[in-house]
Amino acid sequence: MKRYRSHILVCGGTACESQESREMIGKFEDELKKTGYSEEVQVVKTGCFGFCEKGPIVKIHPDHVFYVEVKPEDIEEIVKEHIIKGRIVQRLLYEEPTLEKKIEEQEKISFYHKQLRIALRNCGFINPENIEEYIAENGYLALGKVLTEMTPEEVIQTVKDSGLRGRGGGGFPTGYKWELTYRNKNDVKFIICNADEGDPGAFMDRSILEGDPHSVLEAMAIAGYAIGAEKGYIYIRAEYPLAIQRLNIAIEQAREYGFLGEKIFNSDFNFDIELKYGAGAFVCGEETALINSVEGGRGEPNAKPPFPAESGLWDKPTSVNNVETFANIPQIILKGPAWFSRVGTEGSKGTKVFALAGKVNNVGLVEVPMGITLREIIYDIGGGIRDNKKFKAVQTGGPSGGCIPEEYLDTHIDYETLKEIGSMMGSGGMIVMDEDNCMVNISKFYLEFTEDESCGKCTPCRIGNKRLHEILTRITNGRGTEEDLENLKSLGEMVKESSLCGLGQSSPNPVLSTMKYFAEEYHEHVVNKKCPAGVCSMGKKKATTIPKK
């Protein structure tokens, strides 16, 4: 591989590509040729750096200089000043608001201070379309280790000892899921990667697949070896064209290099991966609905038991794991379960990736240790509330999560504590709201989403959510009654307790949590016919506002 004295890393994630980063790569290459530096400096397309608020991002390596909000017209200046003359382009550096000072290095920016990247370790660092760059960062070394040094039982025990729990929302221990599938003896088994990321404002899985697809392929092969499967499927929504493109490239490269296919690492283990495209149904994030969709059926959940580990895809034992869950596996194998379990809390080990969005200064993708507080994420990493407005709530867990008020900002984030305060971890969506948001209107927005996404199979979800949405519509239109408030609470609890799958069971969370923590807003809407935030029409025609991504 050719050696260069310097590399220009250009973000190639979806957000930055929408702002001409792809064109910028070509302009960098043209400018380097024109100035005679193309043999010394390489331009590298990377995955997402995470700091989406300040994209497109360009990083100069090994100088560690981090340029933000770069435009195509800035390329010539970066090459002539930084690459040729060694002068940093000050105007393109990030300015830390609290210090009123320009910051040169990525690691010194407050957005990255409290982050710990395990699942996102290669995003923003390697070219996701070049398998050799992944191999250079110990890629496929974990797969080689398990195939040459470990038994399937040892692999499963390693994952169990790490304490890794599913990152797709349920939080079920990954090692135990693999063990259950392993114990169900069958000549045919399957591994499925759930990449059906349907939460509004969530882009964690998409960014991993765009920035480090080989980590997921490697982990799926490891899982296949552990449970005895020779076939894996990645179920991904068709709305992710860039992730699909890079996965297809990665799969072909892995086959070419012998990491997928027959007799991997000269062993008796065979494993291959195929993509299956989803049509964007939120309910297909539930594993049995996903399996039905992969089989070509209607995407609706099944009653459990039997669980997929017993009877899943085509009635064969199947392990379904989320993208982020898989992204942790190679590091756990290479560095050991004790290394991973040192991070986090007693019941929630490792890190969690969150898509931080809404009324916060630094919108982006963050990976933090479990146990960090909401305040640290929103204020230390997120830079606080936009325009110095007052914080009102943060909604975690996507449309299935609850809205958490200011009094719980110092809550340490893990699976159990979020449940205790009426929310959930979910897949990692985190939307921040300020004083201008109406919490009644927010709950109506999420109910509208879950009502629309319900598969309709069970009555509590199909009819119950419709009635909940009708009540909220009356309240926000100024026609609500105190009886509506009573019905809203009792009906929400009934839907939560009696729905078939996780979609229905968690859909009332936004309503119940806002009724608990923001009861005065409901009272104002119903009794005084006023919306304190001035958002709801209250009988007048007015546009609905939702949190800004």
Side-chain angles (χ1 to χ4, degrees):
M1 185 180 289
K2 188 173 182 179
R3 298 181 67 87
Y4 295 88
R5 70 168 175 86
S6 187
H7 295 82
I8 301 173
L9 310 181
V10 182
C11 178
T14 291
C16 286
E17 284 212 347
S18 70
Q19 299 183 70
E20 303 183 287
S21 72
R22 186 180 299 181
E23 291 77 5
M24 286 163 49
I25 291 172
K27 289 198 73 169
F28 265 121
E29 290 172 341
D30 291 343
E31 193 64 32
L32 289 170
K33 285 179 184 176
K34 189 165 70 175
T35 54
Y37 280 81
S38 59
E39 296 298 310
E40 297 181 45
V41 180
Q42 184 184 32
V43 184
V44 179
K45 171 172 58 181
T46 73
C48 179
F49 283 89
F51 204 177
C52 306
E53 180 71 26
K54 296 297 178 181
I57 289 169
V58 172
K59 183 176 180 179
I60 311 298
H61 185 79
D63 304 355
H64 297 292
V65 175
F66 196 76
Y67 292 126
V68 299
E69 297 179 317
V70 180
K71 299 178 176 61
E73 52 266 32
D74 299 322
I75 305 306
E76 182 179 353
E77 184 179 1
I78 293 174
V79 171
K80 289 184 176 177
E81 289 297 312
H82 190 134
I83 301 300
I84 297 175
K85 298 178 182 177
R87 299 173 183 165
I88 293 173
V89 183
Q90 293 290 323
R91 67 179 182 83
L92 295 176
L93 296 176
Y94 174 70
E95 183 172 332
E96 198 70 67
T98 55
L99 302 175
E100 295 185 352
K101 176 184 175 183
K102 297 280 190 179
I103 307 294
E104 293 181 10
E105 297 182 27
Q106 176 182 356
E107 294 75 14
K108 294 181 180 179
I109 296 173
S110 60
F111 179 79
Y112 293 101
H113 274 177
K114 294 189 175 181
Q115 292 197 47
L116 176 61
R117 292 192 153 204
I118 298 176
L120 299 177
R121 61 194 176 277
N122 289 326
C123 293
F125 185 64
I126 66 170
N127 182 348
E129 297 180 13
N130 186 339
I131 190 173
E132 293 185 357
E133 293 201 16
Y134 180 70
I135 292 171
E137 294 302 314
N138 294 326
Y140 291 104
L141 195 60
L143 177 59
K145 179 179 178 179
V146 302
L147 293 182
T148 59
E149 300 176 17
M150 301 174 73
T151 64
E153 295 89 346
E154 288 172 334
V155 175
I156 291 170
Q157 190 61 49
T158 297
V159 177
K160 285 172 65 177
D161 291 345
S162 74
L164 177 66
R165 295 171 66 172
R167 298 303 196 241
F172 190 82
T174 304
Y176 285 98
K177 180 178 278 192
W178 288 9
E179 185 175 52
L180 290 171
T181 317
Y182 169 77
R183 285 179 177 175
N184 283 285
K185 301 304 179 183
N186 200 297
D187 291 340
V188 178
K189 297 182 182 181
F190 297 102
I191 290 289
I192 296 180
C193 173
N194 183 352
D196 189 60
E197 188 173 49
D199 295 8
F203 50 99
M204 302 78 59
D205 294 347
R206 186 196 76 204
S207 296
I208 292 172
L209 294 174
E210 289 176 357
D212 193 17
H214 284 285
S215 67
V216 176
L217 304 187
E218 180 178 14
M220 289 179 69
I222 291 170
Y225 173 72
I227 72 164
E230 293 190 352
K231 183 74 174 182
Y233 292 95
I234 299 176
Y235 184 82
I236 183 168
R237 50 185 43 227
E239 296 100 321
Y240 281 178
L242 186 58
I244 290 170
Q245 174 191 329
R246 290 181 180 166
L247 275 171
N248 279 319
I249 292 171
I251 289 170
E252 286 305 313
Q253 290 177 340
R255 288 171 180 159
E256 182 183 343
Y257 277 70
F259 300 129
L260 291 178
E262 297 182 354
K263 298 190 178 300
I264 301 171
F265 281 96
N266 294 319
S267 69
D268 293 329
F269 176 61
N270 308 320
F271 191 78
D272 206 357
I273 294 173
E274 182 180 335
L275 300 188
K276 288 285 187 179
Y277 304 128
F282 181 63
V283 72
C284 287
E286 197 278 335
E287 58 183 2
T288 60
L290 182 156
I291 288 170
N292 284 330
S293 181
V294 172
E295 291 177 345
R298 181 180 172 86
E300 56 184 26
N302 300 333
K304 293 184 275 192
F307 294 92
E310 306 165 73
S311 178
L313 185 62
W314 292 298
D315 300 323
K316 303 296 184 182
T318 304
S319 181
V320 183
N321 299 103
N322 157 270
V323 170
E324 185 186 338
T325 307
F326 278 127
N328 284 284
I329 295 295
Q331 291 296 289
I332 291 172
I333 297 296
L334 289 178
K335 296 185 177 182
W339 167 83
F340 186 82
S341 62
R342 280 199 297 266
V343 180
T345 65
E346 183 62 31
S348 303
K349 302 297 186 183
T351 59
K352 181 72 189 80
V353 180
F354 290 99
L356 185 60
K359 305 288 188 68
V360 66
N361 282 311
N362 297 335
V363 170
L365 203 64
V366 304
E367 184 174 1
V368 291
M370 292 281 198
I372 195 171
T373 66
L374 289 165
R375 187 183 302 276
E376 288 175 287
I377 293 179
I378 295 167
Y379 286 92
D380 296 347
I381 296 173
I385 310 304
R386 288 181 188 272
D387 304 320
N388 293 315
K389 300 250 175 145
K390 182 175 173 56
F391 170 88
K392 180 178 274 190
V394 57
Q395 204 255 5
T396 65
S400 305
C403 296
I404 303 168
E406 187 174 17
E407 63 188 277
Y408 291 106
L409 275 179
D410 293 311
T411 297
H412 294 274
I413 296 175
D414 64 25
Y415 290 97
E416 282 67 39
T417 56
L418 288 177
K419 281 183 182 177
E420 288 170 7
I421 58 176
S423 190
M424 62 189 295
M425 184 78 71
S427 60
M430 184 176 287
I431 298 179
V432 179
M433 289 160 263
D434 68 10
E435 59 192 274
D436 294 334
N437 288 112
C438 168
M439 303 314 295
V440 184
N441 187 62
I442 288 294
S443 64
K444 187 182 81 168
F445 165 71
Y446 283 115
L447 244 297
E448 185 175 354
F449 176 84
T450 49
E451 179 196 0
D452 187 54
E453 292 294 335
S454 171
C455 73
K457 184 173 183 177
C458 74
T459 303
C461 181
R462 182 182 71 249
I463 305 298
N465 279 328
K466 186 174 182 63
R467 296 288 92 88
L468 287 171
H469 185 255
E470 288 171 353
I471 295 171
L472 286 167
T473 300
R474 282 201 299 274
I475 293 173
T476 55
N477 284 341
R479 296 184 288 107
T481 65
E482 293 194 42
E483 184 182 3
D484 281 332
L485 294 181
E486 295 174 8
N487 290 337
L488 200 60
K489 188 172 187 299
S490 61
L491 182 57
E493 290 172 346
M494 184 278 293
V495 172
K496 188 179 179 73
E497 291 171 5
S498 56
S499 291
L500 174 63
C501 79
L503 187 153
Q505 291 163 10
S506 58
S507 60
N509 282 345
V511 180
L512 296 175
S513 63
T514 53
M515 289 189 76
K516 178 179 180 180
Y517 296 124
F518 301 95
E520 71 284 354
E521 291 198 29
Y522 283 87
H523 181 270
E524 283 293 306
H525 281 72
V526 169
V527 177
N528 297 325
K529 308 302 179 186
K530 292 180 181 178
C531 175
V535 171
C536 299
S537 64
M538 304 307 290
K540 301 174 184 178
K541 192 170 182 180
K542 189 170 183 178
T544 300
T545 60
I546 61 174
K548 182 180 178 182
K549 179 178 176 181

